């Protein structure tokens, strides 16, 4: 009798809400209207680029933003969006896309920035609201790399790298770390991001870019997207995009290694997307360093709250 009663109760219970998959779209059935009030075009000497505007369908949250191909997700509040982003030297093509059940529309503006090139920029977003996909940057220090001797390659000690993340945003070498601030907040929020890291004069050496995942509620998984731009706005410009699924709470994933070689040169290695670098410019123990990080031996990660 008890089993029959339980079966009846289960059939009468309301269905569980579906888990979010991908960037949500608005509920409106008429294609939205997107208006960009900034940038307004023309020239600027500001290092930060204001992106501001409105979308007619207030159920659209977030809008998808592209700046020179770099992808961001921007929260909307009452149909309005506003945030500053690091500008690129030269042309900045800003495109905002809004999607609802009626379709996708976009607005575009171009601003030219008379500023020095940006040698290193990292942008991290996720496709799920209400989760933390914390950005972690490990910078080189004088002690983090031991030169090879007697024919042996250089060794990296990840524990001696400078760790920059949500709870320690001060970069010893002069990088700038931007928290995931949404709307008028001045603190780290969950949701789509973006997390940003910019270094306008990165010292030579090896940088590690990683993410630490903390979901909440029914958010079982998300897809993290990393965009890396090196020497943006110069003939030596290099761009890489990394997209990986995240599902295990508290897990740390290495997204990319960046080796700044100097003189406008840098190399990017993405684990799983190519062979491990073997040139003398790279340490020989990258895989062991990754194990140290992902097993919790090289950082003090925690939930971004």
């Amino acid at each position: 009798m008890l089993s029959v009663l339980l079966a009846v109760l289960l059939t009468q219970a309301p269905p569980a809400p579906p888990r979010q998959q991908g960037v949500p779209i608005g509920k409106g059935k008429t294609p939205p209207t997107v208006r960009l009030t900034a940038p307004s075009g023309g020239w600027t000497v500001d290092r930060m680029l204001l992106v501001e505007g409105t979308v007619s369908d207030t159920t659209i949250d977030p809008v998808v933003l592209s700046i020179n191909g770099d992808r961001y997700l921007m929260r909307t509040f009452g149909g309005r969006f506003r945030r500053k982003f690091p500008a690129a030297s030269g042309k900045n093509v800003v495109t905002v896309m809004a999607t609802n059940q009626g379709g996708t529309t976009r607005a575009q503006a171009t601003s030219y920035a008379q500023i020095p090139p940006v040698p290193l920029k990292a942008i991290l977003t996720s496709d799920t609201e209400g989760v933390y996909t914390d950005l972690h940057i490990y910078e080189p220090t004088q002690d983090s790399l031991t030169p090879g001797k007697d024919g042996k390659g250089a060794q990296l000690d990840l524990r001696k790298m400078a760790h920059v993340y949500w709870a320690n945003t001060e970069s010893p070498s002069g990088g700038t770390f931007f928290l995931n601030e949404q709307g008028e907040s001045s603190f780290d929020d969950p949701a789509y991001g973006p997390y940003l890291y910019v270094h306008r004069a990165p010292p030579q050496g090896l940088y590690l870019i990683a993410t630490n995942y903390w979901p909440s509620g029914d958010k079982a998984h998300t897809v993290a997207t990393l965009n890396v731009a090196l020497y943006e706005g110069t003939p030596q410009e290099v761009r890489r995009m990394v997209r990986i699924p995240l599902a295990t709470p508290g897990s740390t994933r290495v997204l990319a290694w960046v080796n700044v070689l100097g003189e406008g040169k840098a190399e990017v290695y993405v684990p799983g997307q190519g062979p491990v670098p073997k040139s003398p410019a790279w340490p020989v123990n990258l895989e062991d360093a990754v194990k140290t990080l992902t097993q919790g031996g090289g950082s003090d990660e925690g939930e971004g709250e």
Side-chain angles (χ1 to χ4, degrees):
M1 184 64 182
L2 180 60
S3 60
V4 174
L5 179 60
L6 180 60
V8 172
L9 291 175
L10 288 175
T11 57
Q12 293 178 347
R19 288 172 173 166
Q20 179 179 319
Q21 296 184 4
V23 180
I25 67 174
K27 298 178 181 179
K29 300 185 183 301
T30 301
T33 299
V34 183
R35 290 187 173 90
L36 268 175
T37 55
S40 57
W43 292 88
T44 180
V45 294
D46 291 335
R47 292 178 179 267
M48 300 297 291
L49 183 69
L50 174 63
V51 177
E52 184 177 35
T54 61
V55 58
S56 60
D57 183 353
T58 58
T59 68
I60 295 176
D61 180 27
V63 293
V64 179
L65 167 67
S66 169
I67 303 178
N68 292 345
D70 289 333
R71 174 183 180 267
Y72 304 82
L73 297 175
M74 288 182 64
R75 294 295 308 267
T76 64
F77 299 87
R80 298 181 179 274
F81 52 88
R82 185 180 190 275
R83 184 168 175 170
K84 290 185 176 181
F85 299 88
S89 177
K91 181 187 291 186
N92 290 264
V93 180
V94 178
T95 305
V96 176
M97 293 170 285
T99 302
N100 65 8
Q101 296 182 30
T104 299
T105 55
R106 66 190 65 204
Q108 189 174 88
T110 301
S111 179
Y112 294 86
Q114 293 179 314
I115 60 174
V118 178
L120 175 56
K121 180 169 68 176
I123 306 154
L124 181 63
T125 61
S126 73
D127 286 356
T128 307
E129 189 274 335
V131 305
Y132 286 98
T133 48
D134 296 324
L135 176 64
H136 291 256
I137 304 292
Y138 292 79
E139 299 179 340
T141 66
Q142 293 183 346
D143 301 320
S144 58
L145 195 65
T146 303
K149 295 181 180 180
D150 301 326
K152 297 181 180 179
Q155 295 283 326
L156 176 69
D157 189 341
L158 192 145
R159 295 169 298 180
K160 294 182 179 180
M161 299 181 78
H163 185 191
V164 184
Y165 65 118
W166 64 269
N168 181 33
T169 59
E170 297 295 327
S171 161
S173 64
T176 304
F177 190 96
F178 298 84
L179 290 172
N180 177 27
E181 299 168 355
Q182 301 290 340
E184 300 298 324
S185 72
S186 59
F187 54 87
D188 192 31
D189 285 311
Y192 313 102
Y195 286 98
L196 289 162
Y197 172 82
V198 173
H199 210 311
R200 302 187 186 278
Q204 293 187 35
L206 195 61
Y207 296 73
L208 171 60
I209 304 174
T211 184
N212 189 248
Y213 179 53
W214 289 97
S216 62
D218 65 342
K219 310 300 192 301
H221 59 82
T222 190
V223 175
T225 300
L226 172 71
N227 287 94
V228 178
L230 305 172
Y231 299 104
E232 189 175 27
T234 73
Q236 291 80 29
E237 179 178 286
V238 175
R239 290 182 176 273
R240 291 291 297 272
M241 184 178 74
V242 183
R243 289 175 61 85
I244 64 168
L246 301 172
T248 305
S251 62
T252 297
R253 294 287 299 273
V254 172
L255 301 175
W257 298 88
V258 176
N259 200 346
V260 176
L261 305 174
E263 298 181 353
K265 298 179 181 179
E267 297 176 347
V268 181
Y269 164 58
V270 178
Q273 294 188 11
V276 178
K278 299 296 185 182
S279 75
W282 290 80
V284 297
N285 64 326
L286 281 185
E287 294 181 344
D288 290 338
V290 169
K291 293 178 181 178
T292 299
L293 176 65
T294 56
Q295 294 173 1
S299 62
D300 11 326
E301 290 97 349
E303 184 172 355
E305 59 185 8

